[in-house]
Protein backbone atom coordinates (compact mmCIF):
# COMPACT_ATOMS: atom_id res chain seq x y z
CA UNK A 1 0.00 0.00 0.00
CA UNK A 2 1.23 3.46 -0.87
CA UNK A 3 1.59 5.61 2.25
CA UNK A 4 -0.80 8.59 2.35
CA UNK A 5 0.68 11.79 1.04
CA UNK A 6 2.81 10.30 -1.73
CA UNK A 7 1.92 10.22 -5.40
CA UNK A 8 1.32 6.84 -6.95
CA UNK A 9 4.12 4.49 -7.92
CA UNK A 10 3.87 0.74 -8.47
CA UNK A 11 4.53 -1.38 -5.42
CA UNK A 12 7.45 -3.74 -5.86
CA UNK A 13 6.81 -7.27 -4.60
CA UNK A 14 9.98 -8.89 -3.31
CA UNK A 15 10.69 -11.51 -0.70
CA UNK A 16 13.07 -9.17 1.12
CA UNK A 17 12.05 -5.58 1.77
CA UNK A 18 14.08 -3.20 -0.37
CA UNK A 19 15.13 0.13 1.04
CA UNK A 20 13.41 3.43 0.40
CA UNK A 21 15.46 6.61 0.05
CA UNK A 22 14.21 9.91 1.47
CA UNK A 23 15.53 13.06 -0.20
CA UNK A 24 14.50 16.19 1.69
CA UNK A 25 15.24 19.68 0.44
CA UNK A 26 13.88 23.09 -0.30
CA UNK A 27 13.95 22.23 -4.03
CA UNK A 28 13.92 25.93 -4.85
CA UNK A 29 13.89 24.80 -7.62
CA UNK A 30 14.49 21.07 -8.07
CA UNK A 31 17.35 20.59 -10.55
CA UNK A 32 19.52 18.02 -12.34
CA UNK A 33 21.87 17.76 -9.34
CA UNK A 34 18.98 16.48 -7.17
CA UNK A 35 17.85 14.05 -9.89
CA UNK A 36 21.40 12.79 -10.44
CA UNK A 37 22.04 12.03 -6.77
CA UNK A 38 18.62 10.37 -6.46
CA UNK A 39 19.22 8.10 -9.48
CA UNK A 40 22.79 7.23 -8.61
CA UNK A 41 22.08 6.53 -4.94
CA UNK A 42 19.03 4.42 -5.87
CA UNK A 43 21.24 2.32 -8.15
CA UNK A 44 24.26 2.11 -5.82
CA UNK A 45 22.16 1.00 -2.83
CA UNK A 46 19.55 -0.98 -4.83
CA UNK A 47 16.75 1.09 -3.38
CA UNK A 48 13.17 0.40 -4.38
CA UNK A 49 12.32 4.08 -4.74
CA UNK A 50 13.25 7.58 -3.73
CA UNK A 51 10.77 9.89 -2.02
CA UNK A 52 11.38 13.60 -2.61
CA UNK A 53 10.23 15.64 0.39
CA UNK A 54 10.01 19.39 -0.25
CA UNK A 55 10.11 21.54 2.91
CA UNK A 56 7.07 23.61 3.83
CA UNK A 57 6.91 27.39 4.01
CA UNK A 58 8.73 28.96 6.95
CA UNK A 59 5.81 30.23 9.09
CA UNK A 60 7.14 33.53 10.39
CA UNK A 61 9.96 34.71 8.23
CA UNK A 62 9.92 35.60 4.58
CA UNK A 63 12.94 34.14 2.85
CA UNK A 64 13.89 36.14 -0.19
CA UNK A 65 13.61 34.13 -3.41
CA UNK A 66 11.80 31.19 -1.79
CA UNK A 67 9.04 30.02 -4.14
CA UNK A 68 5.84 28.90 -2.42
CA UNK A 69 5.66 25.36 -1.08
CA UNK A 70 2.95 24.67 -3.65
CA UNK A 71 5.18 25.78 -6.56
CA UNK A 72 8.20 23.86 -5.26
CA UNK A 73 6.06 20.74 -4.81
CA UNK A 74 4.60 21.13 -8.32
CA UNK A 75 8.08 21.51 -9.81
CA UNK A 76 9.23 18.29 -8.11
CA UNK A 77 6.18 16.48 -9.49
CA UNK A 78 7.04 17.65 -13.00
CA UNK A 79 10.71 16.72 -12.61
CA UNK A 80 10.07 13.15 -11.48
CA UNK A 81 7.04 12.36 -13.67
CA UNK A 82 8.95 10.13 -16.09
CA UNK A 83 10.61 7.95 -13.43
CA UNK A 84 8.32 5.44 -11.70
CA UNK A 85 10.88 4.87 -8.95
CA UNK A 86 10.59 8.50 -7.84
CA UNK A 87 7.70 9.81 -5.74
CA UNK A 88 7.02 13.07 -3.93
CA UNK A 89 5.63 13.43 -0.42
CA UNK A 90 3.69 16.45 0.84
CA UNK A 91 4.36 15.48 4.46
CA UNK A 92 6.36 18.66 5.20
CA UNK A 93 4.34 20.93 2.91
CA UNK A 94 1.15 20.01 4.81
CA UNK A 95 2.67 20.18 8.30
CA UNK A 96 2.39 23.61 9.90
CA UNK A 97 5.49 25.08 11.51
CA UNK A 98 9.11 24.44 10.79
CA UNK A 99 10.06 21.12 9.22
CA UNK A 100 12.53 19.10 11.27
CA UNK A 101 14.07 15.99 9.72
CA UNK A 102 13.73 14.04 12.96
CA UNK A 103 9.92 14.57 12.95
CA UNK A 104 9.65 13.68 9.26
CA UNK A 105 11.63 10.46 9.69
CA UNK A 106 9.49 9.47 12.70
CA UNK A 107 6.28 10.02 10.73
CA UNK A 108 7.52 8.08 7.72
CA UNK A 109 8.65 5.21 9.96
CA UNK A 110 5.09 5.06 11.30
CA UNK A 111 3.64 5.13 7.78
CA UNK A 112 5.93 2.34 6.59
CA UNK A 113 5.29 0.33 9.76
CA UNK A 114 9.01 -0.29 10.16
CA UNK A 115 8.77 -2.94 7.42
CA UNK A 116 11.06 -1.17 4.95
CA UNK A 117 14.54 0.12 5.77
CA UNK A 118 14.67 3.89 5.27
CA UNK A 119 17.75 5.77 4.04
CA UNK A 120 17.90 9.53 4.51
CA UNK A 121 19.83 10.99 1.55
CA UNK A 122 21.67 14.24 2.16
CA UNK A 123 24.41 16.27 0.49
CA UNK A 124 27.69 16.51 2.39
CA UNK A 125 27.34 20.32 2.68
CA UNK A 126 23.99 19.94 4.42
CA UNK A 127 25.10 17.02 6.64
CA UNK A 128 27.97 19.11 8.02
CA UNK A 129 25.24 21.31 9.61
CA UNK A 130 24.19 18.29 11.72
CA UNK A 131 24.91 19.91 15.14
CA UNK A 132 22.35 22.67 14.36
CA UNK A 133 19.51 20.19 13.70
CA UNK A 134 16.76 19.41 16.17
CA UNK A 135 17.66 16.23 18.11
CA UNK A 136 20.49 15.25 15.74
CA UNK A 137 21.68 12.31 17.86
CA UNK A 138 18.17 10.86 17.86
CA UNK A 139 17.76 11.39 14.11
CA UNK A 140 20.89 9.29 13.51
CA UNK A 141 19.37 6.36 15.42
CA UNK A 142 16.06 6.36 13.51
CA UNK A 143 17.29 5.35 10.07
CA UNK A 144 20.45 5.05 8.02
CA UNK A 145 21.92 8.20 6.47
CA UNK A 146 23.58 8.45 3.07
CA UNK A 147 25.95 11.41 2.89
CA UNK A 148 26.61 12.31 -0.73
CA UNK A 149 29.64 14.18 -2.07
CA UNK A 150 29.05 17.71 -3.30
CA UNK A 151 31.57 19.98 -5.05
CA UNK A 152 32.97 22.44 -2.51
CA UNK A 153 32.51 20.15 0.50
CA UNK A 154 35.16 17.78 1.82
CA UNK A 155 34.60 14.40 3.49
CA UNK A 156 37.59 15.18 5.70
CA UNK A 157 35.35 17.69 7.53
CA UNK A 158 33.48 14.68 8.93
CA UNK A 159 36.61 13.92 10.97
CA UNK A 160 35.80 16.74 13.39
CA UNK A 161 32.00 16.58 13.22
CA UNK A 162 30.50 15.91 16.66
CA UNK A 163 27.80 13.26 17.18
CA UNK A 164 29.20 10.71 14.72
CA UNK A 165 31.78 8.00 15.47
CA UNK A 166 35.41 8.86 14.78
CA UNK A 167 36.31 7.99 11.20
CA UNK A 168 39.97 7.30 10.30
CA UNK A 169 41.37 10.31 8.42
CA UNK A 170 42.83 8.15 5.65
CA UNK A 171 39.39 6.72 4.83
CA UNK A 172 38.04 10.25 4.43
CA UNK A 173 41.04 11.32 2.32
CA UNK A 174 40.45 8.27 0.09
CA UNK A 175 36.85 9.40 -0.49
CA UNK A 176 37.89 12.99 -1.24
CA UNK A 177 40.59 11.84 -3.64
CA UNK A 178 38.39 9.27 -5.36
CA UNK A 179 40.47 6.26 -4.21
CA UNK A 180 37.26 4.88 -2.73
CA UNK A 181 33.63 5.62 -3.50
CA UNK A 182 31.85 4.29 -0.44
CA UNK A 183 32.48 4.07 3.28
CA UNK A 184 30.03 2.49 5.75
CA UNK A 185 30.22 3.71 9.35
CA UNK A 186 28.00 1.77 11.80
CA UNK A 187 25.99 3.93 14.23
CA UNK A 188 24.19 1.59 16.64
CA UNK A 189 21.76 -0.42 14.52
CA UNK A 190 21.95 2.05 11.65
CA UNK A 191 24.71 2.91 9.24
CA UNK A 192 26.13 6.17 7.97
CA UNK A 193 27.03 5.62 4.33
CA UNK A 194 29.45 8.11 2.77
CA UNK A 195 28.99 7.98 -0.99
CA UNK A 196 31.24 9.63 -3.52
CA UNK A 197 29.34 10.26 -6.76
CA UNK A 198 30.49 11.92 -9.98
CA UNK A 199 30.48 15.68 -9.27
CA UNK A 200 27.55 17.78 -10.45
CA UNK A 201 28.09 21.51 -10.14
CA UNK A 202 24.42 22.52 -10.45
CA UNK A 203 23.02 24.59 -7.58
CA UNK A 204 19.56 26.06 -6.98
CA UNK A 205 20.93 29.47 -6.01
CA UNK A 206 22.82 29.69 -9.30
CA UNK A 207 19.66 28.77 -11.21
CA UNK A 208 17.65 31.50 -9.42
CA UNK A 209 20.30 34.08 -10.25
CA UNK A 210 20.36 33.02 -13.89
CA UNK A 211 16.56 33.22 -14.19
CA UNK A 212 16.64 36.71 -12.66
CA UNK A 213 19.25 37.75 -15.21
CA UNK A 214 17.34 36.18 -18.11
CA UNK A 215 20.15 33.66 -18.75
CA UNK A 216 19.41 30.14 -20.08
CA UNK A 217 18.95 27.32 -17.56
CA UNK A 218 17.95 24.59 -20.01
CA UNK A 219 20.82 22.19 -19.20
CA UNK A 220 20.46 22.65 -15.43
CA UNK A 221 16.94 21.32 -14.85
CA UNK A 222 14.24 19.32 -16.67
CA UNK A 223 12.48 21.21 -19.51
CA UNK A 224 9.07 20.92 -17.78
CA UNK A 225 10.47 22.65 -14.69
CA UNK A 226 12.03 25.41 -16.77
CA UNK A 227 8.67 25.99 -18.51
CA UNK A 228 6.86 26.10 -15.16
CA UNK A 229 9.32 28.70 -13.82
CA UNK A 230 8.95 30.89 -16.90
CA UNK A 231 5.13 30.52 -17.12
CA UNK A 232 4.60 31.40 -13.46
CA UNK A 233 7.27 34.13 -13.38
CA UNK A 234 9.04 32.46 -10.46
CA UNK A 235 12.38 34.06 -9.48
CA UNK A 236 12.17 36.67 -12.25
P1 LIG B 1 21.51 25.73 -3.13
O1 LIG B 1 22.19 25.29 -4.36
O2 LIG B 1 20.81 27.05 -3.28
O3 LIG B 1 22.38 25.64 -1.91
P2 LIG B 1 20.40 23.15 -2.74
O4 LIG B 1 20.04 22.54 -4.04
O5 LIG B 1 21.65 22.77 -2.04
O6 LIG B 1 20.31 24.73 -2.90
P3 LIG B 1 18.24 21.81 -1.41
O7 LIG B 1 17.15 21.87 -2.42
O8 LIG B 1 17.78 21.95 0.00
O9 LIG B 1 19.24 22.96 -1.66
O10 LIG B 1 19.07 20.49 -1.60
C1 LIG B 1 18.52 19.22 -1.26
C2 LIG B 1 19.66 18.25 -1.01
O11 LIG B 1 20.36 18.02 -2.22
C3 LIG B 1 20.69 18.77 0.00
O12 LIG B 1 21.03 17.69 0.85
C4 LIG B 1 21.87 19.18 -0.87
O13 LIG B 1 23.08 19.04 -0.19
C5 LIG B 1 21.76 18.19 -2.02
N1 LIG B 1 22.30 18.72 -3.27
C6 LIG B 1 21.83 19.76 -3.98
N2 LIG B 1 22.54 19.95 -5.09
C7 LIG B 1 23.52 19.00 -5.11
C8 LIG B 1 24.59 18.68 -6.01
N3 LIG B 1 24.82 19.40 -7.11
N4 LIG B 1 25.38 17.62 -5.70
C9 LIG B 1 25.16 16.90 -4.57
N5 LIG B 1 24.17 17.16 -3.69
C10 LIG B 1 23.35 18.19 -3.94
Amino acid sequence: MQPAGENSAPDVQTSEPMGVGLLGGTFNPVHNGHLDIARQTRDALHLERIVFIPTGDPPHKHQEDLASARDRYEMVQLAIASDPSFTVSDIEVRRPGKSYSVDTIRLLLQQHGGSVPLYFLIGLDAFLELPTWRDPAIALTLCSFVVISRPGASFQALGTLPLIPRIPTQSLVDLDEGCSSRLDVPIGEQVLICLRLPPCEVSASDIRTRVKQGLPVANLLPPAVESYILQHHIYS
Side-chain angles (χ1 to χ4, degrees):
M1 265 267 283
Q2 196 72 18
E6 281 175 39
N7 66 0
S8 59
D11 276 349
V12 179
Q13 299 294 325
T14 53
S15 50
E16 275 185 39
M18 293 169 77
V20 169
L22 313 174
L23 178 57
T26 44
F27 302 121
N28 186 38
V30 63
H31 55 64
N32 289 347
H34 300 131
L35 297 170
D36 277 1
I37 61 173
R39 267 186 221 109
Q40 290 169 17
T41 307
R42 176 200 63 199
D43 294 348
L45 272 58
H46 309 291
L47 301 179
E48 171 190 326
R49 62 196 161 91
I50 304 287
V51 185
F52 288 66
I53 310 172
T55 55
D57 284 328
H60 300 305
K61 68 172 189 224
H62 171 74
Q63 191 181 323
E64 205 195 336
D65 265 3
L66 181 66
S68 70
R70 186 201 164 98
D71 281 334
R72 290 181 288 109
Y73 179 88
E74 290 286 328
M75 289 190 278
V76 171
Q77 266 197 320
L78 291 170
I80 64 171
S82 61
D83 193 327
S85 69
F86 288 170
T87 62
V88 58
S89 166
D90 60 5
I91 192 168
E92 292 196 354
V93 168
R94 276 186 295 121
R95 201 167 61 213
K98 196 160 167 29
S99 308
Y100 293 106
S101 301
V102 68
D103 299 334
T104 301
I105 297 169
R106 274 203 187 102
L107 265 170
L108 289 170
L109 279 170
Q110 281 168 18
Q111 286 184 359
H112 286 270
S115 56
V116 183
L118 299 182
Y119 294 82
F120 193 91
L121 278 48
I122 183 161
L124 177 54
D125 58 316
F127 187 72
L128 291 173
E129 309 280 316
L130 180 74
T132 67
W133 295 9
R134 172 183 273 191
D135 298 336
I138 293 176
L140 291 174
T141 65
L142 294 178
C143 71
S144 292
F145 277 66
V146 186
V147 180
I148 299 159
S149 54
R150 183 164 190 188
S154 156
F155 278 113
Q156 285 165 73
L158 293 178
T160 52
L161 190 69
L163 302 164
I164 62 168
R166 212 194 79 75
I167 306 174
T169 307
Q170 191 55 49
S171 305
L172 297 169
V173 172
D174 287 348
L175 280 169
D176 280 332
E177 294 182 349
C179 302
S180 69
S181 58
R182 174 172 172 172
L183 176 70
D184 288 17
V185 181
I187 302 185
E189 290 179 5
Q190 309 295 349
V191 61
L192 174 71
I193 301 173
C194 301
L195 204 56
R196 182 190 162 96
L197 296 178
C200 173
E201 300 280 350
V202 182
S203 87
S205 33
D206 177 45
I207 291 173
R208 295 194 299 274
T209 305
R210 293 180 70 86
V211 171
K212 216 171 284 169
Q213 295 173 346
L215 296 170
V217 290
N219 53 343
L220 306 175
L221 35 67
V225 177
E226 184 190 11
S227 304
Y228 187 95
I229 290 173
L230 298 178
Q231 267 169 23
H232 294 81
H233 308 289
I234 304 174
Y235 312 126
S236 53

